[in-house]
Amino acid sequence: MRTGAARYFDGRTSARHDVTLELAPHALVIRDGAGVIVDQWAYIRLKHLSAPDHIFRIGLRKNPLLARLEITDMELAHEIDVLAPDIDRTGASARRDSRRVIGWASFAAVTLVLSSIYGVPLLADRLAPVVPRGFEQRIGVATNAQIRAMLDKGPAGRPFTCGDAAMEQTGKAAFEKLVRRLETAADLRMPLTVAVVRRAEANAFALPGGYVYVFQGLIDKAETPDELAAVIAHELGHVAHRDGMRAVLQGAGLSFLFGMMLGDFVGGGAVVLAARTILESAYSRNVENAADRFGVQVMLGLGADARALGRFLQRIAGDTPGGFSILLDHPTAKERAAAINAIAPPQSRGVPLLDAAEWAALKRICAGYRI
Amino acid sequence: MTSSDAGSLAAAPGPVDQQRGNVRFLGRDRPYWRLLARGAVLLMLTLGIYRFWLITDTRRFLWANTEIDGESLEYSGTALEILLGFLVAIAILVPLYIVFFLAALDVGTAGLMTIIAIVALALIGQYAIWRARSYRLTRTVFRGLRFRQTGSGVHYAVCVIFWWAMMAITLGLAYPFAQASLERFKLGHTHYGNLAGQFEGSGFRLLLRGLPLWFAVTAPTLIALSALLTVDWAGIGRIMQRGGTTGDILERIAIQAPEFYGAIGLFVVAIGFAVCAAIILFPAFQTIVMRWWISGIRFPGIDVSSQLRMFDVYKAYLRFIGYLLIFALAMIVVTFVTFALIGSLFGSSAESKFAEMFTILAMVGLYVVSALGLSTIYQATAKLSVWRLTAQSSDLSNASMLDHVTAAGTAGSPLGEGLADALNVGGL
């Protein structure tokens, strides 16, 4: 019977025992210096443990004690390896396990990516309509406070909202009339707060909870009441579809999927950011198209010029978008105008939504202060 | 000759350079490089899910090749354990985040809630670090016995937050005392079998050693801040409010507040000095702290000492910088070739959707490769070298005391490790 020397730790104390191993048919027999049997380890229970290259270290599976054998005689190690089913020093089973791990991990990664592309927007679409209005209002109030603080860069003492100074009152009245007409046509059935603010950019946006912001720059660039109305109608589409709430839900879903599950392996942050940007802009391009369609219906309902939005967008955007178009969260003005024209019949100009005097007053809604 | 050499079966091959005591590190660079490089590729392919396996592999390597008094350590943790711990942590943290979010909405003052959330998360983070340490210790087997940790993680977390506050108040001067106190807590609750650890490093001695470094970094920082204080900010604000183009504003500042440019110049130079000093002195700082820490470790009858030399640590960092430069050059070439290829295949990105998509993909891909490359090089050079140097320069007096320890304790839970990962506060 093959025998050899080994070092043995019994797991009860840290004492080193120099022992003789005997390779019996079913078990390793461990004998101390005097030849007394100290322990017997069945081959089927042996497990290979990590150790430096020149040492073969084994233990017993399901053993409450951490008993260890250390063998430096590599021939002996090889014979034990042959006898013990779970020990595989060539690394073949380790490689098999590792391949399985890589396979599953890759599968998990693919699943995550697919869920983020398809699952998250679907879930958000399902959840947004059932979120209680009161909850959305709260989110709206919180976001609104933050957005205002971010946007209001004017000197202290200058009101951020237009229409409260004495000379702005008539403009405000005209603006409110326009919004009321749009709101009635849109049949929103939820609170709506529309404000004109002192910012030079030609922009407008909607927040959760029915907050809509129109920038002074947009009113400056609008040539007809219908153009301005068309933009507001588009934003009302966002309010009606609860897109703000949907964006919050999508953001939370993506944060969870990417931020929590993937952890932060080095460089992962960039992947997450890029993926989020691309995904969120992809989601929101669809959302924008839906809001455009809503806006067209509202304008048609008022007998106003439904094509005004496309025209206006193309004028303020020009036709060359800057940067990467897959990163844009709005479709290009050209695409949008084409889509709008496809569903909006060309209008024999009906009655404009505001008369010339009202429109002139509205144009001066922010005249009280220099921007 | 130590007592262990007589009893060892075969002398282990291994580096004997730098070795001053009965602790050795046998690990070679090449297998570790291989392990890390393969891990980096798999991290990329699995979007980081492979990290549990990579962490486990690196620990196995480092532990197995660290030999104390002729006997190497064994890391017995598994990747599945920490993956499970991570999933449990997610299950705990997600509801917590939701509660924070709802509370922020209810209170309406996002600011206050944010502060509460940050403090709470900092506490949970430190608690996680404590529990993760417990996991690592109970998965460390030495001579058939495991290490373990007692003590309360909450207590530890509160102590850490307290010391952070002290460090902030004292511009970092409290750091040595914080370290001494926290290490006393950590090692006082560390056990090897029935041996209880202790820490005897003195905060005051660390302060004396580190004071020159602290001055080298803090003095320029203070100069920079005082330079900013000399500026009449209200006046600058008034000048800004009058508007006009940037050129106009700068011109007006030059006329009305001429001291502004001098102050800003001094600020930039001083901050530059502080940053350079911090970078250049970092290896020295690391050496001082490491030597102080190792030399403070005590087990009953056993004193640990460290002869770690600053020169060696600097050499390790220089090697890291050398590799880094080679890698950076390679990345520049690869980037150039990639974009040239995209350009020639698809034309410019302004024209085609394809070019645009590939450009973005290439940008993200190159960034990830750079970041992972950087971290791999750092771990395989600087980090491994410092580990090796620390081991090779340490010595245990009375190592024969290790012969009569009896077993105690059971394996700890991997939850801490998972929490630490989910909160991105993981250690080694």
Side-chain angles (χ1 to χ4, degrees), chain A residues 314-342:
Chain A
Q314 292 203 64
R315 202 174 62 240
I316 56 180
D319 277 345
T320 47
F324 295 115
S325 65
I326 53 172
L327 294 182
L328 288 179
D329 52 4
H330 285 54
T332 60
K334 215 178 187 161
E335 289 167 4
R336 287 171 74 183
I340 290 166
N341 292 347

PDB file of all heavy atoms in Angstrom, chain A residues 314-342:
ATOM      1  N   GLN A 314     -39.271  73.813 -36.820  1.00  0.00           N
ATOM      2  CA  GLN A 314     -38.235  73.867 -37.849  1.00  0.00           C
ATOM      3  C   GLN A 314     -37.576  75.227 -37.871  1.00  0.00           C
ATOM      4  O   GLN A 314     -36.383  75.346 -38.118  1.00  0.00           O
ATOM      5  CB  GLN A 314     -38.825  73.532 -39.214  1.00  0.00           C
ATOM      6  CG  GLN A 314     -39.256  72.085 -39.286  1.00  0.00           C
ATOM      7  CD  GLN A 314     -39.318  71.582 -40.712  1.00  0.00           C
ATOM      8  OE1 GLN A 314     -38.310  71.523 -41.382  1.00  0.00           O
ATOM      9  NE2 GLN A 314     -40.507  71.240 -41.164  1.00  0.00           N
ATOM     10  N   ARG A 315     -38.373  76.268 -37.603  1.00  0.00           N
ATOM     11  CA  ARG A 315     -37.789  77.608 -37.647  1.00  0.00           C
ATOM     12  C   ARG A 315     -36.805  77.817 -36.499  1.00  0.00           C
ATOM     13  O   ARG A 315     -35.743  78.403 -36.688  1.00  0.00           O
ATOM     14  CB  ARG A 315     -38.891  78.656 -37.611  1.00  0.00           C
ATOM     15  CG  ARG A 315     -38.406  79.974 -38.193  1.00  0.00           C
ATOM     16  CD  ARG A 315     -39.493  81.000 -38.306  1.00  0.00           C
ATOM     17  NE  ARG A 315     -40.049  81.351 -37.015  1.00  0.00           N
ATOM     18  CZ  ARG A 315     -41.315  81.185 -36.689  1.00  0.00           C
ATOM     19  NH1 ARG A 315     -42.154  80.671 -37.567  1.00  0.00           N
ATOM     20  NH2 ARG A 315     -41.749  81.541 -35.507  1.00  0.00           N
ATOM     21  N   ILE A 316     -37.176  77.352 -35.293  1.00  0.00           N
ATOM     22  CA  ILE A 316     -36.260  77.636 -34.177  1.00  0.00           C
ATOM     23  C   ILE A 316     -35.101  76.647 -34.122  1.00  0.00           C
ATOM     24  O   ILE A 316     -34.058  76.962 -33.583  1.00  0.00           O
ATOM     25  CB  ILE A 316     -36.975  77.682 -32.798  1.00  0.00           C
ATOM     26  CG1 ILE A 316     -37.739  76.394 -32.526  1.00  0.00           C
ATOM     27  CG2 ILE A 316     -37.869  78.892 -32.695  1.00  0.00           C
ATOM     28  CD1 ILE A 316     -38.440  76.404 -31.184  1.00  0.00           C
ATOM     29  N   ALA A 317     -35.283  75.467 -34.687  1.00  0.00           N
ATOM     30  CA  ALA A 317     -34.206  74.491 -34.569  1.00  0.00           C
ATOM     31  C   ALA A 317     -33.246  74.576 -35.732  1.00  0.00           C
ATOM     32  O   ALA A 317     -32.104  74.166 -35.638  1.00  0.00           O
ATOM     33  CB  ALA A 317     -34.793  73.090 -34.487  1.00  0.00           C
ATOM     34  N   GLY A 318     -33.703  75.122 -36.857  1.00  0.00           N
ATOM     35  CA  GLY A 318     -32.922  74.972 -38.082  1.00  0.00           C
ATOM     36  C   GLY A 318     -33.030  73.500 -38.426  1.00  0.00           C
ATOM     37  O   GLY A 318     -33.730  72.752 -37.765  1.00  0.00           O
ATOM     38  N   ASP A 319     -32.374  73.097 -39.492  1.00  0.00           N
ATOM     39  CA  ASP A 319     -32.549  71.693 -39.862  1.00  0.00           C
ATOM     40  C   ASP A 319     -31.387  70.812 -39.461  1.00  0.00           C
ATOM     41  O   ASP A 319     -31.397  69.617 -39.677  1.00  0.00           O
ATOM     42  CB  ASP A 319     -32.778  71.574 -41.367  1.00  0.00           C
ATOM     43  CG  ASP A 319     -34.232  71.832 -41.686  1.00  0.00           C
ATOM     44  OD1 ASP A 319     -35.045  71.804 -40.721  1.00  0.00           O
ATOM     45  OD2 ASP A 319     -34.561  72.072 -42.839  1.00  0.00           O
ATOM     46  N   THR A 320     -30.350  71.424 -38.889  1.00  0.00           N
ATOM     47  CA  THR A 320     -29.192  70.603 -38.546  1.00  0.00           C
ATOM     48  C   THR A 320     -29.114  70.454 -37.031  1.00  0.00           C
ATOM     49  O   THR A 320     -28.779  71.390 -36.332  1.00  0.00           O
ATOM     50  CB  THR A 320     -27.900  71.279 -39.037  1.00  0.00           C
ATOM     51  OG1 THR A 320     -27.963  72.656 -38.629  1.00  0.00           O
ATOM     52  CG2 THR A 320     -27.769  71.190 -40.523  1.00  0.00           C
ATOM     53  N   PRO A 321     -29.457  69.267 -36.540  1.00  0.00           N
ATOM     54  CA  PRO A 321     -29.296  69.057 -35.103  1.00  0.00           C
ATOM     55  C   PRO A 321     -27.812  68.956 -34.787  1.00  0.00           C
ATOM     56  O   PRO A 321     -27.046  68.424 -35.587  1.00  0.00           O
ATOM     57  CB  PRO A 321     -29.996  67.719 -34.872  1.00  0.00           C
ATOM     58  CG  PRO A 321     -29.903  67.015 -36.179  1.00  0.00           C
ATOM     59  CD  PRO A 321     -29.878  68.071 -37.249  1.00  0.00           C
ATOM     60  N   GLY A 322     -27.419  69.477 -33.631  1.00  0.00           N
ATOM     61  CA  GLY A 322     -26.018  69.342 -33.262  1.00  0.00           C
ATOM     62  C   GLY A 322     -25.836  68.023 -32.540  1.00  0.00           C
ATOM     63  O   GLY A 322     -26.763  67.496 -31.951  1.00  0.00           O
ATOM     64  N   GLY A 323     -24.647  67.471 -32.609  1.00  0.00           N
ATOM     65  CA  GLY A 323     -24.344  66.279 -31.821  1.00  0.00           C
ATOM     66  C   GLY A 323     -24.974  65.025 -32.391  1.00  0.00           C
ATOM     67  O   GLY A 323     -25.381  64.978 -33.548  1.00  0.00           O
ATOM     68  N   PHE A 324     -25.030  64.007 -31.563  1.00  0.00           N
ATOM     69  CA  PHE A 324     -25.487  62.707 -32.013  1.00  0.00           C
ATOM     70  C   PHE A 324     -27.007  62.626 -31.974  1.00  0.00           C
ATOM     71  O   PHE A 324     -27.617  62.917 -30.963  1.00  0.00           O
ATOM     72  CB  PHE A 324     -24.934  61.621 -31.098  1.00  0.00           C
ATOM     73  CG  PHE A 324     -23.456  61.504 -31.165  1.00  0.00           C
ATOM     74  CD1 PHE A 324     -22.684  61.792 -30.057  1.00  0.00           C
ATOM     75  CD2 PHE A 324     -22.829  61.111 -32.332  1.00  0.00           C
ATOM     76  CE1 PHE A 324     -21.313  61.679 -30.104  1.00  0.00           C
ATOM     77  CE2 PHE A 324     -21.455  60.999 -32.390  1.00  0.00           C
ATOM     78  CZ  PHE A 324     -20.698  61.283 -31.273  1.00  0.00           C
ATOM     79  N   SER A 325     -27.607  62.179 -33.079  1.00  0.00           N
ATOM     80  CA  SER A 325     -29.068  62.163 -33.073  1.00  0.00           C
ATOM     81  C   SER A 325     -29.622  61.040 -32.208  1.00  0.00           C
ATOM     82  O   SER A 325     -30.742  61.130 -31.740  1.00  0.00           O
ATOM     83  CB  SER A 325     -29.601  62.081 -34.490  1.00  0.00           C
ATOM     84  OG  SER A 325     -29.233  60.869 -35.064  1.00  0.00           O
ATOM     85  N   ILE A 326     -28.832  59.963 -31.956  1.00  0.00           N
ATOM     86  CA  ILE A 326     -29.418  58.936 -31.080  1.00  0.00           C
ATOM     87  C   ILE A 326     -29.369  59.367 -29.631  1.00  0.00           C
ATOM     88  O   ILE A 326     -29.931  58.721 -28.779  1.00  0.00           O
ATOM     89  CB  ILE A 326     -28.758  57.535 -31.206  1.00  0.00           C
ATOM     90  CG1 ILE A 326     -27.262  57.606 -31.035  1.00  0.00           C
ATOM     91  CG2 ILE A 326     -29.132  56.829 -32.443  1.00  0.00           C
ATOM     92  CD1 ILE A 326     -26.636  56.217 -30.966  1.00  0.00           C
ATOM     93  N   LEU A 327     -28.664  60.474 -29.367  1.00  0.00           N
ATOM     94  CA  LEU A 327     -28.643  60.966 -27.993  1.00  0.00           C
ATOM     95  C   LEU A 327     -29.686  62.051 -27.778  1.00  0.00           C
ATOM     96  O   LEU A 327     -29.891  62.520 -26.673  1.00  0.00           O
ATOM     97  CB  LEU A 327     -27.262  61.511 -27.643  1.00  0.00           C
ATOM     98  CG  LEU A 327     -26.144  60.479 -27.603  1.00  0.00           C
ATOM     99  CD1 LEU A 327     -24.832  61.132 -27.209  1.00  0.00           C
ATOM    100  CD2 LEU A 327     -26.472  59.382 -26.613  1.00  0.00           C
ATOM    101  N   LEU A 328     -30.314  62.495 -28.875  1.00  0.00           N
ATOM    102  CA  LEU A 328     -31.306  63.555 -28.716  1.00  0.00           C
ATOM    103  C   LEU A 328     -32.553  62.976 -28.064  1.00  0.00           C
ATOM    104  O   LEU A 328     -33.009  61.909 -28.442  1.00  0.00           O
ATOM    105  CB  LEU A 328     -31.688  64.117 -30.092  1.00  0.00           C
ATOM    106  CG  LEU A 328     -30.609  64.957 -30.762  1.00  0.00           C
ATOM    107  CD1 LEU A 328     -31.100  65.428 -32.110  1.00  0.00           C
ATOM    108  CD2 LEU A 328     -30.249  66.154 -29.896  1.00  0.00           C
ATOM    109  N   ASP A 329     -33.111  63.720 -27.100  1.00  0.00           N
ATOM    110  CA  ASP A 329     -34.310  63.159 -26.493  1.00  0.00           C
ATOM    111  C   ASP A 329     -35.569  63.585 -27.245  1.00  0.00           C
ATOM    112  O   ASP A 329     -36.655  63.144 -26.937  1.00  0.00           O
ATOM    113  CB  ASP A 329     -34.406  63.496 -25.006  1.00  0.00           C
ATOM    114  CG  ASP A 329     -34.251  64.968 -24.755  1.00  0.00           C
ATOM    115  OD1 ASP A 329     -34.148  65.718 -25.745  1.00  0.00           O
ATOM    116  OD2 ASP A 329     -34.240  65.362 -23.589  1.00  0.00           O
ATOM    117  N   HIS A 330     -35.407  64.468 -28.218  1.00  0.00           N
ATOM    118  CA  HIS A 330     -36.534  64.777 -29.088  1.00  0.00           C
ATOM    119  C   HIS A 330     -36.168  64.346 -30.503  1.00  0.00           C
ATOM    120  O   HIS A 330     -35.027  64.444 -30.899  1.00  0.00           O
ATOM    121  CB  HIS A 330     -36.822  66.282 -29.100  1.00  0.00           C
ATOM    122  CG  HIS A 330     -37.496  66.758 -27.857  1.00  0.00           C
ATOM    123  ND1 HIS A 330     -36.990  66.535 -26.609  1.00  0.00           N
ATOM    124  CD2 HIS A 330     -38.652  67.440 -27.675  1.00  0.00           C
ATOM    125  CE1 HIS A 330     -37.792  67.065 -25.705  1.00  0.00           C
ATOM    126  NE2 HIS A 330     -38.814  67.614 -26.317  1.00  0.00           N
ATOM    127  N   PRO A 331     -37.151  63.860 -31.272  1.00  0.00           N
ATOM    128  CA  PRO A 331     -36.866  63.580 -32.684  1.00  0.00           C
ATOM    129  C   PRO A 331     -36.490  64.899 -33.352  1.00  0.00           C
ATOM    130  O   PRO A 331     -36.808  65.968 -32.836  1.00  0.00           O
ATOM    131  CB  PRO A 331     -38.200  63.058 -33.222  1.00  0.00           C
ATOM    132  CG  PRO A 331     -39.061  62.798 -32.037  1.00  0.00           C
ATOM    133  CD  PRO A 331     -38.543  63.630 -30.916  1.00  0.00           C
ATOM    134  N   THR A 332     -35.841  64.840 -34.492  1.00  0.00           N
ATOM    135  CA  THR A 332     -35.455  66.089 -35.145  1.00  0.00           C
ATOM    136  C   THR A 332     -36.711  66.825 -35.605  1.00  0.00           C
ATOM    137  O   THR A 332     -37.752  66.213 -35.868  1.00  0.00           O
ATOM    138  CB  THR A 332     -34.569  65.824 -36.372  1.00  0.00           C
ATOM    139  OG1 THR A 332     -35.317  65.030 -37.286  1.00  0.00           O
ATOM    140  CG2 THR A 332     -33.304  65.098 -35.986  1.00  0.00           C
ATOM    141  N   ALA A 333     -36.566  68.149 -35.695  1.00  0.00           N
ATOM    142  CA  ALA A 333     -37.715  68.991 -36.056  1.00  0.00           C
ATOM    143  C   ALA A 333     -38.312  68.558 -37.383  1.00  0.00           C
ATOM    144  O   ALA A 333     -39.535  68.532 -37.557  1.00  0.00           O
ATOM    145  CB  ALA A 333     -37.267  70.445 -36.118  1.00  0.00           C
ATOM    146  N   LYS A 334     -37.438  68.184 -38.301  1.00  0.00           N
ATOM    147  CA  LYS A 334     -37.885  67.788 -39.639  1.00  0.00           C
ATOM    148  C   LYS A 334     -38.792  66.554 -39.549  1.00  0.00           C
ATOM    149  O   LYS A 334     -39.882  66.524 -40.112  1.00  0.00           O
ATOM    150  CB  LYS A 334     -36.656  67.439 -40.463  1.00  0.00           C
ATOM    151  CG  LYS A 334     -36.742  67.796 -41.936  1.00  0.00           C
ATOM    152  CD  LYS A 334     -35.423  67.408 -42.539  1.00  0.00           C
ATOM    153  CE  LYS A 334     -35.287  67.862 -43.972  1.00  0.00           C
ATOM    154  NZ  LYS A 334     -33.869  67.873 -44.359  1.00  0.00           N
ATOM    155  N   GLU A 335     -38.304  65.547 -38.818  1.00  0.00           N
ATOM    156  CA  GLU A 335     -39.095  64.317 -38.651  1.00  0.00           C
ATOM    157  C   GLU A 335     -40.433  64.621 -38.008  1.00  0.00           C
ATOM    158  O   GLU A 335     -41.469  64.091 -38.407  1.00  0.00           O
ATOM    159  CB  GLU A 335     -38.344  63.312 -37.764  1.00  0.00           C
ATOM    160  CG  GLU A 335     -37.129  62.688 -38.417  1.00  0.00           C
ATOM    161  CD  GLU A 335     -36.241  61.952 -37.407  1.00  0.00           C
ATOM    162  OE1 GLU A 335     -36.619  61.879 -36.223  1.00  0.00           O
ATOM    163  OE2 GLU A 335     -35.180  61.470 -37.810  1.00  0.00           O
ATOM    164  N   ARG A 336     -40.394  65.505 -36.993  1.00  0.00           N
ATOM    165  CA  ARG A 336     -41.633  65.795 -36.284  1.00  0.00           C
ATOM    166  C   ARG A 336     -42.619  66.527 -37.192  1.00  0.00           C
ATOM    167  O   ARG A 336     -43.812  66.206 -37.195  1.00  0.00           O
ATOM    168  CB  ARG A 336     -41.344  66.625 -35.029  1.00  0.00           C
ATOM    169  CG  ARG A 336     -40.700  65.798 -33.944  1.00  0.00           C
ATOM    170  CD  ARG A 336     -40.222  66.646 -32.803  1.00  0.00           C
ATOM    171  NE  ARG A 336     -41.307  67.138 -31.974  1.00  0.00           N
ATOM    172  CZ  ARG A 336     -41.119  67.956 -30.936  1.00  0.00           C
ATOM    173  NH1 ARG A 336     -39.908  68.359 -30.625  1.00  0.00           N
ATOM    174  NH2 ARG A 336     -42.142  68.371 -30.216  1.00  0.00           N
ATOM    175  N   ALA A 337     -42.093  67.497 -37.941  1.00  0.00           N
ATOM    176  CA  ALA A 337     -42.981  68.261 -38.829  1.00  0.00           C
ATOM    177  C   ALA A 337     -43.640  67.321 -39.831  1.00  0.00           C
ATOM    178  O   ALA A 337     -44.847  67.409 -40.097  1.00  0.00           O
ATOM    179  CB  ALA A 337     -42.189  69.342 -39.548  1.00  0.00           C
ATOM    180  N   ALA A 338     -42.843  66.383 -40.365  1.00  0.00           N
ATOM    181  CA  ALA A 338     -43.390  65.434 -41.339  1.00  0.00           C
ATOM    182  C   ALA A 338     -44.488  64.598 -40.706  1.00  0.00           C
ATOM    183  O   ALA A 338     -45.554  64.387 -41.299  1.00  0.00           O
ATOM    184  CB  ALA A 338     -42.265  64.540 -41.867  1.00  0.00           C
ATOM    185  N   ALA A 339     -44.221  64.123 -39.455  1.00  0.00           N
ATOM    186  CA  ALA A 339     -45.212  63.285 -38.777  1.00  0.00           C
ATOM    187  C   ALA A 339     -46.492  64.074 -38.487  1.00  0.00           C
ATOM    188  O   ALA A 339     -47.599  63.556 -38.606  1.00  0.00           O
ATOM    189  CB  ALA A 339     -44.617  62.738 -37.481  1.00  0.00           C
ATOM    190  N   ILE A 340     -46.315  65.359 -38.101  1.00  0.00           N
ATOM    191  CA  ILE A 340     -47.487  66.186 -37.802  1.00  0.00           C
ATOM    192  C   ILE A 340     -48.295  66.446 -39.064  1.00  0.00           C
ATOM    193  O   ILE A 340     -49.529  66.314 -39.084  1.00  0.00           O
ATOM    194  CB  ILE A 340     -47.039  67.529 -37.164  1.00  0.00           C
ATOM    195  CG1 ILE A 340     -46.505  67.263 -35.755  1.00  0.00           C
ATOM    196  CG2 ILE A 340     -48.199  68.528 -37.119  1.00  0.00           C
ATOM    197  CD1 ILE A 340     -45.742  68.418 -35.169  1.00  0.00           C
ATOM    198  N   ASN A 341     -47.584  66.783 -40.135  1.00  0.00           N
ATOM    199  CA  ASN A 341     -48.284  67.082 -41.384  1.00  0.00           C
ATOM    200  C   ASN A 341     -49.040  65.878 -41.907  1.00  0.00           C
ATOM    201  O   ASN A 341     -50.050  66.009 -42.593  1.00  0.00           O
ATOM    202  CB  ASN A 341     -47.299  67.588 -42.440  1.00  0.00           C
ATOM    203  CG  ASN A 341     -46.749  68.955 -42.060  1.00  0.00           C
ATOM    204  OD1 ASN A 341     -47.286  69.604 -41.164  1.00  0.00           O
ATOM    205  ND2 ASN A 341     -45.687  69.380 -42.709  1.00  0.00           N
ATOM    206  N   ALA A 342     -48.530  64.678 -41.557  1.00  0.00           N
ATOM    207  CA  ALA A 342     -49.195  63.469 -42.029  1.00  0.00           C
ATOM    208  C   ALA A 342     -50.580  63.311 -41.402  1.00  0.00           C
ATOM    209  O   ALA A 342     -51.475  62.730 -42.008  1.00  0.00           O
ATOM    210  CB  ALA A 342     -48.335  62.243 -41.724  1.00  0.00           C
TER     211      ALA A 342
END
